Structures are given as structure tokens and as C-alpha cells.
Amino acid sequence: MSIIRLDQVAKYYKSEETVSVGMKKISLSFDLGEFVAVTGESGSGKSTLLNVISGLDGYEDGELYLFDEETSHYTIADWERYRGAYIGFVFQNYNIIDSYSVYQNVMLALEIQGYPKKDRKKRAFELIEKVGLTSHRHHKASKLSGGQKQRAVIARALAKDCPVIVADEPTGNLDSQSATQIMKLLHEISEGKLVIVVTHDYDQVKSYATRKIKMHDGEVVEDKVLHKIEHPIEAKPVELKKTSIWTLFRFAIRNLFSTPKKTLFLLIMQILVISVFTLIYTDQMKNIRERGLEQSQIFPNVPETRVLIEKRDGSEFSISEIESFRNLNHVNEIYEHSSLFYNELDLTIQGLNGYGYGYIQGTDSAISLSESEITGRIPVAIDEVVISSYWQSFNIGDTIELYNGYYYEEANQVSFGQFKVVGIDNQDRHIIYFSDAYLKQDIEIEEQLDISRYENTRSSISYQMTFDYESASVYIERAYESMDVDIMFVGNGEQTLLEDQTIEINTYSSTGIKLEKVLTGLTVIVYAEDENSYYKRVMMDQVLYDQLVEDFLLEVEFEYMLPERNMLSLSVTGYYQGNQIIEEVDSNIYKVYYPANISSPSREVLVFLSGLLAIVLLSLFGLFLYAIVHAVTRNVMNARKKDFAIYRSIGANQTSLAKLVVIEQVMMAVIGFGLTLVILNVLSSSIPMIGRTLPYMEIQDYIILILAFVLFGLWLGLRFNKKVFKQTVIETLSASKGE
């Protein structure tokens, strides 16, 4: 029984305009033990015959039998199994994996074949020695001469230990001496195998050939047996072993390390893309989780970088308690004299001699700043500060005064001292940053704070006193001098005097508490409007006005006459760390205040809308990055099509190669993501933007991102694999040669 038999087999090549004949009506059979020389002029169909016999190319008419079984119904997978089990290749153009060493090329065939793992290395060295390349076994194939490459390919073909060796012009690119050596090698390995050699120079092979086939215009014109096989060898089907997943992992690692420049290029690209997408993702998560947060009115001066803690019984903190807070993961520093931050006050800064002013939205320690965030330097001395670039009236070297009260109300201002500006915060934040020397000094400022809180509450009450008049809320002002009446509407027109009037006064304290008082028996002057005038303002007699304010102050005395509070101020990086501290502190013993983290009534709606916007932005940006990565990866993968065709010619099937490509892409994604996280964490200490956003990455976010990158790599790999297997091995090799 012949191992291979062709019955009226024809092969045609189609292009857009023409159809050409590769071979027609070929009927041949081949047995083990034969050394067949196929000759003929260029274009006679020699290589086409070899490609069809070996399963590298398909056929259109007739039938090819393997062990007397038809193959016309074979799928791509069937042909892959056929080549893997029966065919070893020696090509004219070598078709060796240039990035592999001789040893790796030979090992590739042994591994795909499933050769026993413990014997692979020994077998590879034996074959390399047999072809005379022992001294070059660790040389990359790209560094070998033509003859050495051909020897390596023969060693690889032998490593498969398959019954059929096909050689297409194996000496076409070699000098005569190398050609003689290659033919001798092929003859030495032919015992017990079917060796088919296509050659244009019959003289090189005639000493070894047992059979000569000559072709012309796609037809066999001569089939001559030169030496009859005395003891025919019975052909038996070969069982092909599957390539294990661990073998594919070794292939993937080998491929990555065998092309270090390409791997490094792809890795850098992966890191850049993953870094950009991760930063955008974390920034969106930060925006979502911070959306709809309001500042506490009780602690108006505490930004998101500070958390306040006091004991529920109001007692002082022990040294051990302070140290336990200091050791929390998310705490940068602890300040025992929290009152030095002026947590409960609205603060204003003003330049000396009244030049320049600004309202402060927060106070903080300078340790929350980095050198890269400021112009100038970090404050060190007690009287040094950094202020925001928002206040453009101030420059480095200016002296400012910090006080409570509005800049135009000198009577209500309470000064907390003068400070020298040594740095400007480049971020647009209305925050003043004190030095550690200032914040850690052990001084009493409670008297100043009491006065300041008193003035603050008094101002709030005074400027918001109103009463309802003719369905409108009217603000009341203190008269410049004593009046004969209690209330006067100042304006033009006819005057009307009203006595024994009753009005209800409304106002709010500094913490937003509504205050109400009904006044009876008032004397009021009202000026009737004419068509060209309107009430300018409403004035109240000084004595009545002052007494009314004092009455209201007594009602909210608890706001400004506060007992001394033993409170710690914990410095954190941002909202994420602040919320972590809230969860870690024992709420049964301590009160934790996070004034910048108060949820507004509309928070849920804002978070939902922000989430939708984030999905749109991330999708659009993801598509943009995909286009970049796809273009680069496609070019790199296309450059590897030849290598994958060689894998296929050796016996790797579509499933194995699909797994290999996927493993490589997943490994690159995982390595790239891991390196990206390391790089971003290192940069977070010097780049504040990264330091503020990266902590928002939670476990589920890491999982989402790694899955996204892995699935993206998986998709790229499968697309490439599908594209490769649309072509036959010969079509892929021909295209790669052209490229």
C-alpha cells in the first residue's frame, strides 16, 4: 500500500484576470524507502506537485489518497494534522525562524511533535551534531550562511521523525560544495523514509535517486525507477500528539525574548497606552466619587486634605492614641493644635497698607505640597506661608495679614498675625499653606478665636436682618445717627407716619440657624413712591438695631462661646484616604469630622450623570487608543506571518497557534499593566495629579482594567490568527517573501 497516491490531480492558480495551470491530471504513487528526484524547467509544476503532496497547498480536481483514504474532504485542521504527523520540509529559501538559534529551531520541531521532554535536549544536540553545526548551535539563524541554514532546516526536519521528507530546490542558493554536502545529508537520512527532492540540476541528485520524475507544462512526461526497492516498508498511520499548554507558554516566552527589540517596542507602546487610559479612567472615577460633595458650614476652612478627630467625652488624647493615628496607612502627619488651622472661621488675607485681599476657602499644611506644584519654596519659618496663584495681587516676598472678617469691615476684623509669602501654589486653589513650625507651636489662641467667632456671628446676623413688606423681603440697615422713629423707609415722595406697628424680623447666624423676633409698638415713617422713585433702603434706629442684634447673639451664644476643643487634625492626600480613615477609626470612642465630604441632596443624580459621561468619554478614548495599538500591533504581527507559516509547516495546528498568539498577547498585556502600575506608583510621589487620582483605584477597578486590556489583546491575537489561516502555508510564505 502506497503512503501517498495522486489520481488525476490538478491545481490551478487564479488571479483577478486570468487562471493559470500549476499542474494537470497527475497520477503518481509514492512508497517509503524511495528517494525521488523531481526535475524540469522553471514553471513546469515541480514545486506545485511538492506543495500539493505535502499539504502546503490545495488542489482543485482529482484525488489525493493517504493510506488509500481520500483527502478531498480535508479541512484546514485535517491538513495541519497531516503535515504535523507525516511531512518534514527543506525549502530552497530555508524558511527558518531567523530570530531563533539553531538549537531553538530544532527544539521547536521536537516540542510540536510532543517528543519526550526529558530526551529533547539530547536529541536536539544529536541532530545538530549530525548536520555539522555543533559549534553554531546557539547562533541565531539570521547570522548563519546559506549552507548552514540549510543544514539547520534538515536537522529540524529530522527532529520531527516523520515518514516523509520533501525538499524544494534545497541547493538552489548554495555553492557546489555546500550543495554536495546537503544532498549527501538528505541521502543519509532517507533510509526508511520517503524523500522527494525537487531540483533543476539533476546531476546533483542522480547518485542518490531511486526514481526520477520529469515534468513539463504541469504534466509528468517521465517517471523512471532507477533503483528498485528490494524490501518495501509498510506504511502505517502516525499518531499526532497534541501540543500542551505549557509547551505553548514556553513558545510564547521564547518568542518574546528572541526578538528583544520588537518586544521592547511593543512593551513601551503597551505601557504608554495603558498608562494614559488608566490615568483617564482613574480621573473619571475620582470625579464620580467626588461629585456632589459640599463643604461643611460648621468647619468652612477644612479642605479634603484634612480630617478632624476628637474624643466623644471631650478629653485630651494620650500619647499612645496620637501615635496610633500617626501609624494609620493613609495619614501623612498629625497636628495636635488643630485650632491653629482656624477650622471654624471664614478667613481673609490682606496685604499690608490695604493693598490686595482675598477670601480663603481652606487652610492646610505645606507638607501637602510638592516642590513641582509651587513657584518659590516650601515655608519653613513660623511666619512663612504659601498662597494660591488665584490671588494675583500678591507676589513672593510680600507680607500679608490673616484675619477673620471682611476686608471693608475694619471694626469686625480680628487679626491672627502677619506672614511672609515664600511660595505661590500654581494650582487654582483658594488655600493658604502654613509651615510645620507654625502648626506645631504650643500656643493658646482660644481668646482670639472666641473674639473672631463672636464677630463672625455678629456680622452674619447684622447683614441678613429682614422683614416682610408688601409681599417682599426687605433688608434692614443700621441708621447712621439716632432717629425720632424706629424704622424709616428712605426714598422720595410724600411722608406718612405710622405708629404702634408690628413687624417680624428674620435673620441667620454664621452657621445658618434661622432667628426670628416679633417687634411691636414701632413708629415707622413710610415715603410713598412716585412714578420716578423707589425705596433706596430701610433704616432702623441705632439703639433698637444694636439691641436686636444683641438679643439674637444671646440666642446663638453656643456658636461663638465654644468650650476649648481637644481636636486632632490629620493630614491626608485626598478624599480616598480621608474616607479610609473614617472607616478605620473606632466611632464608639471618637468623633470623626470630614468637612469637605458632605453629600449634597443632588449627589445621587450628579454621580449618575457623571457615570454616563465617563462611559462615553472612556469609550471614545478607548476607540482612539485602539486605532493606534491596532495599527502598530498589526504591522508587528504581519512581520511574523512567515514564522507562523513555518510553525504550520512543522505541524502546529490552528488551535495551537491561536492559543500561542493569545498567550503572547495576554502576557504582554499583563506585563505591560504590571509595569504601568509600578511606574505610576513611583511617579505618584512626584506628580501630584497622579498621587491624587491613583488611590481611587479599587480592586474592582484593577480587575476591570486588566480584563479590558487582556480581552483587547485576545481580540487582536484572534484576528491575526484568523487572517493567517485564511491563506495556505505556501501563500503566506510567498507573501512574506514578497514583503
Side-chain angles (χ1 to χ4, degrees), residues 50-120:
L50 201 67
N51 293 337
V52 170
I53 288 173
S54 61
L56 291 175
D57 215 347
Y59 58 93
E60 279 70 45
D61 291 330
E63 189 63 77
L64 185 150
Y65 295 89
L66 177 64
F67 298 106
D68 283 339
E69 292 186 4
E70 295 178 353
T71 61
S72 55
H73 64 279
Y74 270 23
T75 63
I76 290 177
D78 292 327
W79 285 116
E80 301 292 344
R81 285 192 291 270
Y82 165 63
R83 285 197 302 272
Y86 295 99
I87 308 296
F89 298 89
V90 181
F91 297 96
Q92 176 183 0
N93 295 314
Y94 318 126
N95 288 332
I96 194 168
I97 299 180
D98 291 327
S99 60
Y100 282 11
S101 66
V102 173
Y103 170 72
Q104 289 173 331
N105 268 280
V106 175
M107 281 292 287
L108 178 63
L110 292 170
E111 289 168 325
I112 289 177
Q113 177 186 331
Y115 200 85
K117 186 176 180 181
K118 59 184 178 61
D119 300 325
R120 285 176 192 168

Side-chain angles (χ1 to χ4, degrees), residues 91-96 149-150 168-169 173 642 737:
F91 297 96
Q92 176 183 0
N93 295 314
Y94 318 126
N95 288 332
I96 194 168
K149 286 183 179 181
Q150 203 63 286
D168 187 8
E169 298 281 7
N173 296 326
K642 174 190 169 185
K737 181 181 177 182

Side-chain angles (χ1 to χ4, degrees), residues 28 57 73 80 206 255 266 311 341 343 409 428 430 432 444 458 461 480 486 531 571 602 610 636 672 718 726:
L28 296 168
D57 215 347
H73 64 279
E80 301 292 344
K206 67 181 181 180
N255 289 338
L266 283 175
K311 299 179 74 170
F341 283 100
N343 300 313
E409 290 184 339
D428 191 13
H430 305 189
I432 184 169
E444 297 292 338
R458 182 183 182 88
I461 291 172
Y480 301 124
D486 297 313
E531 60 183 16
S571 177
S602 59
S610 298
V636 173
L718 291 177
K726 282 184 177 180

Side-chain angles (χ1 to χ4, degrees), residues 418-635:
Q418 296 180 358
F419 301 87
K420 182 180 179 181
V421 178
V422 297
I424 303 293
D425 175 18
N426 298 324
Q427 308 297 316
D428 191 13
R429 297 175 287 204
H430 305 189
I431 296 177
I432 184 169
Y433 299 90
F434 298 105
S435 67
D436 262 25
Y438 178 79
L439 295 173
K440 291 185 176 180
Q441 59 181 326
D442 191 5
I443 61 172
E444 297 292 338
I445 64 167
E446 290 304 321
E447 184 177 347
Q448 285 177 290
L449 294 178
D450 286 342
I451 295 173
S452 180
R453 284 190 290 262
Y454 171 81
E455 295 297 344
N456 193 45
T457 305
R458 182 183 182 88
S459 296
S460 297
I461 291 172
S462 299
Y463 287 114
Q464 296 185 89
M465 285 202 302
T466 63
F467 72 92
D468 293 336
Y469 179 76
E470 294 184 354
S471 302
S473 183
V474 182
Y475 279 94
I476 302 172
E477 297 182 21
R478 185 177 185 273
Y480 301 124
E481 55 188 24
S482 295
M483 300 189 305
D484 294 332
V485 294
D486 297 313
I487 293 178
M488 178 184 293
F489 286 78
V490 180
N492 299 318
E494 183 180 348
Q495 173 183 310
T496 300
L497 179 64
L498 302 174
E499 296 188 13
D500 296 327
Q501 296 298 302
T502 299
I503 64 172
E504 182 178 319
I505 305 295
N506 299 299
T507 189
Y508 290 88
S509 70
S510 59
T511 57
I513 296 176
K514 185 176 181 180
L515 304 171
E516 300 175 348
K517 202 171 192 66
V518 177
L519 301 180
T520 59
L522 300 180
T523 303
V524 180
I525 291 180
V526 179
Y527 288 86
E529 290 183 88
D530 61 32
E531 60 183 16
N532 298 317
S533 69
Y534 56 92
Y535 296 134
K536 300 295 185 183
R537 55 189 180 274
V538 175
M539 308 297 294
M540 180 178 282
D541 179 67
Q542 292 178 345
V543 175
L544 179 61
Y545 186 94
D546 291 342
Q547 184 60 51
L548 186 60
V549 171
E550 290 299 323
D551 290 345
F552 282 138
L553 282 170
L554 286 174
E555 290 186 37
V556 290
E557 188 177 29
F558 63 90
E559 286 190 14
Y560 56 89
M561 296 296 291
L562 296 177
E564 182 177 351
R565 302 182 74 165
N566 297 306
M567 185 175 285
L568 299 178
S569 182
L570 277 58
S571 177
V572 297
T573 304
Y575 284 105
Y576 175 79
Q577 293 85 352
N579 285 307
Q580 291 299 306
I581 289 174
I582 293 174
E583 294 180 5
E584 293 174 10
V585 172
D586 187 347
S587 60
N588 294 318
I589 303 175
Y590 306 101
K591 293 180 182 179
V592 182
Y593 305 99
Y594 197 4
N597 194 43
I598 307 300
S599 294
S600 69
S602 59
R603 174 168 166 75
E604 289 187 5
V605 175
L606 293 173
V607 168
F608 175 75
L609 294 176
S610 298
L612 290 180
L613 180 61
I615 291 173
V616 173
L617 290 176
L618 289 171
S619 298
L620 292 175
F621 201 79
L623 289 173
F624 172 71
L625 291 179
Y626 154 74
I628 297 175
V629 175
H630 181 262
V632 175
T633 306
R634 180 184 59 196
N635 291 333

Side-chain angles (χ1 to χ4, degrees), residues 60-238:
E60 279 70 45
D61 291 330
E63 189 63 77
L64 185 150
Y65 295 89
L66 177 64
F67 298 106
D68 283 339
E69 292 186 4
E70 295 178 353
T71 61
S72 55
H73 64 279
Y74 270 23
T75 63
I76 290 177
D78 292 327
W79 285 116
E80 301 292 344
R81 285 192 291 270
Y82 165 63
R83 285 197 302 272
Y86 295 99
I87 308 296
F89 298 89
V90 181
F91 297 96
Q92 176 183 0
N93 295 314
Y94 318 126
N95 288 332
I96 194 168
I97 299 180
D98 291 327
S99 60
Y100 282 11
S101 66
V102 173
Y103 170 72
Q104 289 173 331
N105 268 280
V106 175
M107 281 292 287
L108 178 63
L110 292 170
E111 289 168 325
I112 289 177
Q113 177 186 331
Y115 200 85
K117 186 176 180 181
K118 59 184 178 61
D119 300 325
R120 285 176 192 168
K121 187 173 182 180
K122 179 182 177 183
R123 177 61 175 164
F125 286 164
E126 287 175 353
L127 294 171
I128 292 171
E129 183 179 6
K130 189 170 186 177
V131 298
L133 290 177
T134 299
S135 61
H136 293 75
R137 63 188 180 190
H138 294 304
H139 290 198
K140 280 199 171 184
S142 59
K143 305 298 182 182
L144 301 177
S145 67
Q148 290 169 335
K149 286 183 179 181
Q150 203 63 286
R151 289 168 182 266
V153 171
I154 292 174
R156 188 180 67 193
L158 288 175
K160 286 189 65 177
D161 195 23
C162 50
V164 182
I165 302 291
V166 295
D168 187 8
E169 298 281 7
T171 61
N173 296 326
L174 306 179
D175 58 68
S176 58
Q177 183 179 357
S178 297
T180 300
Q181 292 174 341
I182 293 301
M183 284 300 178
K184 185 179 179 181
L185 268 174
L186 287 172
H187 178 256
E188 289 176 357
I189 67 174
S190 65
E191 185 177 355
K193 299 180 183 296
L194 167 61
V195 178
I196 305 175
V197 179
V198 166
T199 179
H200 66 281
D201 187 353
Y202 177 68
D203 290 338
Q204 289 182 342
V205 72
K206 67 181 181 180
S207 300
Y208 311 112
T210 63
R211 179 179 174 187
K212 178 184 178 184
I213 296 175
K214 186 175 181 180
M215 298 190 69
H216 180 72
D217 287 343
E219 295 181 300
V220 174
V221 296
E222 180 184 2
D223 184 3
K224 184 177 180 181
V225 176
L226 303 176
H227 302 286
K228 188 176 181 180
I229 303 173
E230 296 182 0
H231 304 288
I233 302 171
E234 183 181 355
K236 296 180 180 180
V238 178

Side-chain angles (χ1 to χ4, degrees), residues 1 36 120 141 187 202 280 293-294 297 334 403 441 493 511 684 701 703 725 731 735:
M1 179 177 63
V36 183
R120 285 176 192 168
H187 178 256
Y202 177 68
I280 293 175
L293 296 179
E294 295 180 344
Q297 293 183 352
I334 288 184
Y403 59 90
Q441 59 181 326
T511 57
S684 64
D701 297 313
I703 293 173
F725 277 86
E731 288 172 339

